[in-house]
Amino acid sequence: MVPKITTLSGYLHEYQKSVANPTGFWANIAETFYWHKKWDKILEWDFHNPKVEWFKGGKLNITENIFERNLFLRGEQKAIIWEPNDPNEAIREFTYNELFVEVQKFANVLKKHGVRKGDRVALYMPMIPELSIAMLACARIGAIHSIVFAGFSAKALAERIIDAEAKVVITADGGYRAHKVLRLKDVVDEALTQCPTISSNIVVKRTGGEVVWNEGVDYWWHDEMEGMEEVAPAEILDAEDPLFILYTSGSTGRPKGVLHTVGGYMIYTAYTFRNVFQYSSGDVFFCAADIGWITGHSYIVYGPLLEGAISVMFEGIPTYPDAGRYWDIIRKHEVNQFYTSPTAIRSLIAEGQEWVQDVNLPSLRVLGTVGEPINEEAWHWYHDHVGDNRCPIVDTWWQTETGGIMISAIAGVIPTKPAFASLPLPGIQPLIVDSEGNKLCGKGVQGNLCIKFPWPGMARSHWGDHKRYVESYFSQYKGLYFTGDGVKRDEDGYYRILGRMDDVINVSGHRLGTAEIENAINEHPLVSESAVVGFPHAIKGQGIYAYVVCTSIPKNAEEELKNSIKIGVSKMISPIARPDQIQFVNGLPKTRSGKIMRRILKKIAAKSTDYGDISTLTNPEIVEEIIEGNHKLIK
Ligand code: PRX
């Protein structure tokens, strides 16, 4: 197991060590894993011609580090406890031994379908154990999984399958979400009409709903698993071989396939999991994220299972069948560490005090949040009512690209402050710069958050587009990784994340590119142009505000048109990208070079009155008109 920091002086000591000798620091941690062959070189890196390689030449398989490494001690211990959407349905549990058998059987199924090392497999699945089994089976044979959150549309799924040239897709007939049944196979069927690289679609029977069956392409999971050989030797990979691709939004149109590699990601997720949450053997850890996002990859599956943890996986939502569902799960499974998002917390606050009034959760020791800045009110509610004033909150700042947690308190070790992510973890060297790239040293500064030295969990590239990777993170400030976030460092040296500085908006912890949403809006036949910005939203953190210019608006049909634009966005991307507000405008404020001045649009949507300098606009008169329209729309 990885070493665990247990005191503040221990943290300070480890942090110093990790900065003075980063390669020695990470090599010591890497030694605790199982390698077929030790690495040739600990680290090779360059942030000017960006390239990062950790433990190159080291040979391993991440699933051997989950299974073979843990089995002697924990073969009969639970690995996954699955809690269904409907609390009356039976829970499913897998010991490490049982999970290992399922993973190996499914690895053999994948092989039977022609999947080999380096091939891509797309997963479009509900939160059921088969999702974890499928991803680990890919890792077992060296295939690269690309999980697409099961709320994305057929078009968004097809785009991701095409970009990754996936060979096999895995889905379910459907999924449950509160009262709703999601017809996942229908979405996959529609996507597959555009995806010539897919030869097999393996379907888990979850809901038993009617599905259209495509002979020669569709295969039932249970049929394929029936009688399958229970042993699948691990494919031995290089530390720098890809482990997975996960698509996320950036400031330009297309989603980008963030690429993580085996060795560094393994070490980083295990280390951060054990330390941030102070996991001890036998604890029950519950991360309420969806595996379709990075949080689920790193802290439902890889981090916990590498560390031999018991990981709770939940299919449903926090308000079904009622707003006490999380607390019921925590009580039922005696959860020790609970990890969720500020949006989930705010949505529970909105449900009323009665759900937490007498909630008594003695098993809880640590609370975590992730995905967006947590406001102080939500922090206190979480701390006082859920954590009974005794559980530390770890406000964990990180990104799809960072692989694991970067800035966070270590539970019970680093003192916390509401709304502050607090201090960098060992191995992480943040740097704050102003817009010209000048370093802002010392305390009490505010600027753009960069990282100046590589860490093992960082993304290595974008699938098939290294140039875009370089442009996305390394082009703004020479020699630094730019996170896209604004940050403030206070007098105690604590970091407070202020949110995105680029054209990315964070809606309920989901990251969306404004350009991506605009592209979808512009597809509407009556739309000629649009600009999308985020605006403060009481529950979601940020809502989506779209300024839309139409060629014509049919008389008395404004609302209808707004609805059809919203439906269009849901279909093109996902319901999570659906605008909260649409304002029809006659034009957008533009600079002389034709660029939309979003700064002003953001201010108007946020009801701020300080618009800054508008003299460089070609059409300053439009601003007044837009403000007036906004007042009418939102009183
Ligand atoms: O803006 C930051 C915000 O979420 C972004 C990363 O989004 P994504 O790649 O989808 O990963 C989310 C889960 C790790 C960041 O650039 N963010 C994430 N965690 C926090 C946060 N903002 C403030 N506080 C956090 N704890």
Side-chain angles (χ1 to χ4, degrees):
M1 299 294 104
V2 298
K4 189 163 153 189
I5 294 166
T6 53
T7 60
L8 185 56
S9 61
Y11 160 72
L12 295 171
H13 178 73
E14 287 299 300
Y15 190 80
Q16 289 314 324
K17 238 173 55 182
S18 78
V19 173
N21 177 10
T23 50
F25 174 81
W26 289 114
N28 268 338
I29 294 165
E31 296 277 2
T32 65
F33 290 86
Y34 174 60
W35 300 82
H36 279 262
K37 173 186 163 281
K38 216 171 151 176
W39 48 89
D40 301 323
K41 190 146 188 218
I42 301 170
L43 171 66
E44 221 166 89
W45 72 290
D46 185 348
F47 275 3
H48 289 276
N49 294 303
K51 175 183 132 171
V52 174
E53 290 176 336
W54 282 93
F55 309 106
K56 189 130 205 259
K59 303 287 177 198
L60 77 161
N61 185 289
I62 197 167
T63 67
E64 284 188 330
N65 281 281
I66 289 174
F67 295 112
E68 281 89 336
R69 176 163 153 269
N70 279 320
L71 290 182
F72 289 115
L73 274 177
R74 302 193 172 78
E76 287 307 304
Q77 181 211 285
K78 285 175 218 164
I80 292 179
I81 300 175
W82 176 76
E83 172 75 26
N85 175 64
D86 177 351
N88 296 317
E89 192 184 335
I91 59 168
R92 289 169 73 192
E93 296 181 336
F94 295 79
T95 63
Y96 275 83
N97 280 331
E98 287 162 348
L99 189 63
F100 189 30
V101 169
E102 296 301 305
V103 167
Q104 292 185 90
K105 283 174 77 177
F106 197 67
N108 287 327
V109 170
L110 289 173
K111 283 202 263 185
K112 182 184 143 198
H113 285 264
V115 179
R116 300 283 173 266
K117 176 184 166 188
D119 288 342
R120 276 77 60 208
V121 177
L123 278 61
Y124 186 79
M125 299 176 75
M127 280 285 286
I128 53 176
E130 285 77 5
L131 170 52
S132 305
I133 292 165
M135 59 198 286
L136 295 172
C138 288
R140 186 81 181 164
I141 62 170
I144 304 167
H145 57 74
S146 167
I147 304 183
V148 180
F149 172 63
F152 277 113
S153 67
K155 185 168 181 297
L157 171 62
E159 256 171 30
R160 287 156 175 78
I161 290 176
I162 293 166
D163 188 75
E165 296 176 280
K167 200 168 190 176
V168 166
V169 61
I170 304 163
T171 189
D173 51 357
Y176 295 112
R177 196 181 151 77
H179 298 282
K180 279 192 230 154
V181 176
L182 311 171
R183 297 182 54 83
L184 302 181
K185 183 164 187 301
D186 290 356
V187 180
V188 173
D189 288 346
E190 194 186 331
L192 291 194
T193 58
Q194 305 166 50
C195 303
T197 56
I198 295 286
S199 51
S200 309
N201 175 17
I202 302 174
V203 187
V204 179
K205 190 172 255 177
R206 170 71 187 112
T207 60
E210 285 268 309
V211 286
V212 176
W213 204 249
N214 302 307
E215 261 338 302
V217 177
D218 294 340
Y219 300 85
W220 284 115
W221 171 291
H222 55 267
D223 287 344
E224 297 302 288
M225 289 287 264
E226 175 87 40
M228 185 48 84
E229 168 79 64
E230 291 187 358
V231 176
E235 183 80 31
I236 306 310
L237 304 177
D238 191 280
E240 280 300 333
D241 278 335
L243 175 63
F244 66 84
I245 306 169
L246 182 55
Y247 285 87
T248 188
S249 298
S251 39
T252 51
R254 266 177 326 117
K256 46 201 193 185
V258 171
L259 179 70
H260 283 284
T261 56
V262 179
Y265 177 83
M266 171 180 83
I267 289 157
Y268 198 66
T269 51
Y271 180 77
T272 51
F273 167 71
R274 163 94 42 200
N275 278 284
V276 170
F277 299 103
Q278 290 288 292
Y279 186 85
S280 296
S281 225
D283 284 351
V284 178
F285 180 79
F286 174 21
C287 167
D290 191 293
I291 293 177
W293 310 111
I294 191 69
T295 306
H297 281 62
S298 299
Y299 299 108
I300 295 177
V301 182
Y302 286 112
L305 297 185
L306 282 161
E307 287 300 289
I310 304 169
S311 183
V312 175
M313 177 178 182
F314 175 41
E315 187 186 32
I317 63 165
T319 47
Y320 179 79
D322 60 45
R325 186 66 194 275
Y326 277 164
W327 326 137
D328 290 343
I329 296 174
I330 292 170
R331 238 179 266 116
K332 179 159 146 198
H333 302 296
E334 297 186 48
V335 168
N336 303 109
Q337 292 94 352
F338 175 54
Y339 193 26
T340 188
S341 67
T343 290
I345 296 168
R346 286 190 296 262
S347 71
L348 291 175
I349 295 175
E351 293 284 330
Q353 201 57 18
E354 67 266 29
W355 297 105
V356 282
Q357 204 68 61
D358 298 312
V359 74
N360 182 21
L361 307 169
S363 62
L364 270 186
R365 284 207 319 271
V366 177
L367 298 173
T369 80
V370 61
E372 43 180 325
I374 180 163
N375 49 309
E376 296 198 22
E377 186 203 347
W379 194 98
H380 284 293
W381 183 89
Y382 198 32
H383 187 259
D384 299 353
H385 298 296
V386 182
D388 197 20
N389 268 309
R390 63 182 169 80
C391 301
I393 294 181
V394 290
D395 175 358
T396 65
W397 173 83
W398 58 296
Q399 310 180 294
T400 305
E401 293 86 344
T402 68
I405 300 166
M406 301 282 280
I407 301 181
S408 168
I410 292 180
V413 170
I414 297 179
T416 60
K417 260 192 217 188
F420 281 78
S422 90
L423 298 175
L425 294 181
I428 303 309
Q429 301 189 36
L431 187 70
I432 304 180
V433 299
D434 66 15
S435 50
E436 270 81 56
N438 303 308
K439 278 188 216 169
L440 301 175
C441 298
K443 297 175 175 174
V445 293
Q446 181 172 327
N448 302 313
L449 178 60
C450 296
I451 314 287
K452 67 176 179 192
F453 195 87
W455 63 100
M458 74 182 289
R460 303 296 195 261
S461 194
H462 287 167
W463 181 254
D465 198 349
H466 194 67
K467 193 162 158 261
R468 190 152 172 234
Y469 169 80
V470 174
E471 275 162 15
S472 302
Y473 317 109
F474 298 94
S475 63
Q476 298 85 347
Y477 306 111
K478 291 291 163 224
L480 298 174
Y481 169 89
F482 177 44
T483 62
D485 281 321
V487 71
K488 193 164 139 180
R489 191 169 44 214
D490 77 356
E491 295 305 321
D492 298 325
Y494 268 44
Y495 290 81
R496 179 177 188 148
I497 307 297
L498 303 172
R500 301 291 304 198
M501 307 295 283
D502 52 9
D503 293 327
V504 168
I505 44 184
N506 195 329
V507 180
S508 304
H510 301 315
R511 181 168 152 181
L512 295 162
T514 51
E516 208 177 333
I517 306 172
E518 287 161 10
N519 289 346
I521 294 175
N522 297 349
E523 287 283 314
H524 194 284
L526 292 180
V527 171
S528 60
E529 204 182 5
S530 63
V532 164
V533 296
F535 73 104
H537 188 287
I539 297 206
K540 300 181 187 183
Q542 279 192 299
I544 301 173
Y545 197 112
Y547 298 90
V548 179
V549 184
C550 292
T551 45
S552 64
I553 300 177
K555 230 177 165 194
N556 300 326
E558 276 207 12
E559 284 312 308
E560 228 168 88
L561 181 54
K562 282 184 186 176
N563 262 337
S564 81
I565 292 173
K566 288 181 186 177
I567 291 167
V569 175
S570 295
K571 281 203 176 134
M572 298 270 294
I573 309 174
S574 156
I576 54 181
R578 197 182 157 99
D580 297 277
Q581 294 292 350
I582 292 181
Q583 181 181 346
F584 292 122
V585 293
N586 289 319
L588 297 167
K590 289 197 179 160
T591 61
R592 286 195 189 101
S593 58
K595 259 187 94 179
I596 298 170
M597 231 202 228
R598 282 165 200 285
R599 174 174 59 79
I600 295 174
L601 295 174
K602 266 188 213 167
K603 293 247 160 117
I604 297 174
K607 292 234 174 274
S608 155
T609 44
D610 166 25
Y611 306 115
D613 181 14
I614 59 169
S615 63
T616 54
L617 292 177
T618 46
N619 53 348
E621 70 289 346
I622 202 75
V623 174
E624 271 310 311
E625 202 181 306
I626 296 178
I627 295 169
E628 224 171 87
N630 166 274
H631 286 329
K632 278 192 205 140
L633 189 67
I634 310 168
K635 294 279 182 320

